[in-house]
Amino acid sequence: MPKQPLFAGLIIDETGAPAETAYVGDEPCYVIDDAGFRRHISSEEIDRQVFQHLQDLMKGSEDLISEQTAKMIGQDDLFTVAAIQQQLKNMDKQFDKLLEQGIPEDARAYLGMMGFKVVVNYQGEVLRVEQPGAIDDSGEE
């Protein structure tokens, strides 16, 4: 079970209002205001959808991402690239560990400053993930 919502501060509803976070017992939730009714949606439910979206974006680009990541950390040797590539290919297995550890608050703040947002509806379905610099379906940035 997750200890905290992974994308706290980055989730908004369809109207653009930020989702609050709360706990129902031990379970972390995003709270969506539905015309005054506060809907508590399991954070794991939304976080898994966002994680799957991000994972889908990376599929097929593991080689390039691995090479660039290794260069960024200054270790662009063959073994480091292979290790990063293997981790990317097994991302679904990493999610539970990420749920336990969480995303550091400063990393979430950075994502927010860069324009990363997740738009959800009142049922907790991810409608879209807004990413800085991402090209939308119309081909515009």
Side-chain angles (χ1 to χ4, degrees), residues 21-78:
T21 58
Y23 287 83
V24 175
D26 290 340
E27 184 176 12
C29 297
Y30 293 110
V31 182
I32 309 292
D33 184 354
D34 183 3
F37 182 78
R38 296 170 46 86
R39 294 182 182 264
H40 289 67
I41 301 165
S42 167
S43 65
E44 185 174 356
E45 180 182 327
I46 292 175
D47 292 342
R48 281 192 186 279
Q49 291 176 67
V50 175
F51 191 76
Q52 184 62 50
H53 174 81
L54 296 174
Q55 194 174 2
D56 291 344
L57 287 175
M58 288 189 268
K59 276 211 186 340
S61 301
E62 292 92 349
D63 293 341
L64 178 63
I65 293 169
S66 300
E67 291 170 13
Q68 295 304 313
T69 302
K71 284 181 186 176
M72 283 190 338
I73 63 173
Q75 296 185 8
D76 54 347
D77 61 273
L78 193 57

Side-chain angles (χ1 to χ4, degrees), residues 10-11 17 20 26 50 55 64-65 73 78 89-90 96 106 110 119 123 126 137-138:
L10 302 170
I11 306 293
E20 298 175 28
D26 290 340
V50 175
Q55 194 174 2
L64 178 63
I65 293 169
I73 63 173
L78 193 57
K89 288 182 178 178
N90 294 319
D96 291 329
D106 56 340
Y110 179 74
V119 181
Q123 288 79 36
V126 173
D137 294 336
S138 66

